[in-house]
Amino acid sequence: GENVEQHPSTLSVQEGDSAVIKCTYSDSASNYFPWYKQELGKRPQLIIDIRSNVGEKKDQRIAVTLNKTAKHFSLHITETQPEDSAVYFCAAVKDRGSTLGRLYFGRGTQLTVWP
Amino acid sequence: EAEVAQSPRYKITEKSQAVAFWCDPISGHATLYWYRQILGQGPELLVQFQDESVVDDSQLPKDRFSAERLKGVDSTLKIQPAELGDSAMYLCASSFSDRPKNIQYFGAGTRLSVL
């Protein structure tokens, strides 16, 4: 299978500060890494993703980095705002094998941004 | 914007009763996933369909859970009999195909409480 570890489980920052969430994965067959944001009582929504042939991707205040050698990837949020408060999940997807397309999720990080 | 539809949003049942959840994926999406999300954890795949065929049900407790997607469009997940430990959020997701580059879109989920 695939084992995705995510840290920290909770993260509190002051508005305007940066937040970093880190994930590791175990299976080298994983080559696609999406990040989902889930607000309380709502569906998970994709916020950014990265593919294994790219080391970094940025979208406004959100960036994701990937180190395939070390099998870890991170989410970076800059200039945090209270509306960034949510649970963030990292995930890994394999491109081969019987579990093609299946998302392996981390346990989630509860981000709280204080005004 | 098209969304994955799920019903009901909430379900309260007593243990040993039967429950059923319904999912209607985004039109044209061949791949459909059912995930279970226990409070405080990331979603875990229960079953994956490609059109009407099951491609991965390795994590589905087949003694009590069943899933079908008869015409390759909408899907039903059933639990019979329900147990206390089944209390969770059941999320349905769909994607255009099972290729890793295809984004999975989630429904709002069905929150099940077993009393």
Side-chain angles (χ1 to χ4, degrees):
Chain A
E2 168 65 284
N3 182 41
V4 178
E5 299 282 345
Q6 183 172 348
H7 300 281
S9 57
T10 60
L11 181 58
S12 293
V13 300
Q14 204 73 33
E15 181 177 3
D17 288 349
S18 295
V20 180
I21 302 170
K22 299 182 179 181
C23 291
T24 61
Y25 62 100
S26 60
D27 195 328
S28 58
S30 293
N31 74 340
Y32 171 62
F33 306 92
W35 286 85
Y36 284 83
K37 175 184 180 181
Q38 188 175 27
E39 297 178 63
L40 190 62
K42 296 189 177 181
R43 70 190 73 198
Q45 292 197 309
L46 181 74
I47 56 170
I48 196 168
D49 56 13
I50 191 167
R51 312 189 196 292
S52 61
N53 58 347
V54 175
E56 182 174 359
K57 183 177 179 181
K58 190 173 182 179
D59 182 5
Q60 299 182 349
R61 297 186 297 108
I62 296 174
V64 59
T65 59
L66 171 65
N67 183 327
K68 281 216 73 180
T69 302
K71 295 194 182 71
H72 66 71
F73 55 113
S74 300
L75 178 71
H76 305 252
I77 306 174
T78 59
E79 301 172 23
T80 54
Q81 301 168 2
E83 50 265 39
D84 293 330
S85 296
V87 178
Y88 292 80
F89 292 98
C90 63
V93 182
K94 299 181 187 181
D95 68 346
R96 55 187 181 273
S98 61
T99 60
L100 192 66
R102 172 180 172 176
L103 283 168
Y104 292 87
F105 283 93
R107 292 177 65 92
T109 296
Q110 173 67 63
L111 174 64
T112 303
V113 181
W114 300 100
Chain B
E1 180 177 302
E3 292 185 337
V4 176
Q6 287 188 250
S7 67
R9 288 294 312 276
Y10 305 93
K11 179 69 178 179
I12 300 174
T13 190
E14 294 183 345
K15 63 179 181 178
S16 79
Q17 296 298 304
V19 293
F21 315 132
W22 177 80
C23 172
D24 191 13
I26 293 172
S27 178
H29 280 193
T31 312
L32 185 148
Y33 311 80
W34 283 101
Y35 290 88
R36 178 168 59 184
Q37 185 177 22
I38 296 171
L39 193 63
Q41 297 182 20
E44 291 187 337
L45 183 73
L46 289 173
V47 60
Q48 176 179 340
F49 288 92
Q50 184 66 26
D51 299 310
E52 67 276 7
S53 301
V54 172
V55 296
D56 185 356
D57 64 355
S58 57
Q59 302 301 310
L60 189 71
K62 299 182 189 62
D63 57 335
R64 298 185 300 108
F65 286 65
S66 64
E68 60 183 17
R69 193 184 184 199
L70 294 176
K71 297 182 179 179
V73 181
D74 59 334
S75 175
T76 302
L77 178 69
K78 298 179 181 177
I79 308 175
Q80 182 173 17
E83 296 181 353
L84 296 177
D86 296 331
S87 295
M89 174 74 85
Y90 291 82
L91 292 164
C92 178
S94 71
S95 62
F96 183 73
S97 80
D98 61 357
R99 297 306 303 170
K101 297 180 181 180
N102 285 279
I103 297 170
Q104 289 187 30
Y105 296 89
F106 283 82
T110 295
R111 182 166 294 283
L112 173 67
S113 296
V114 182
L115 307 178

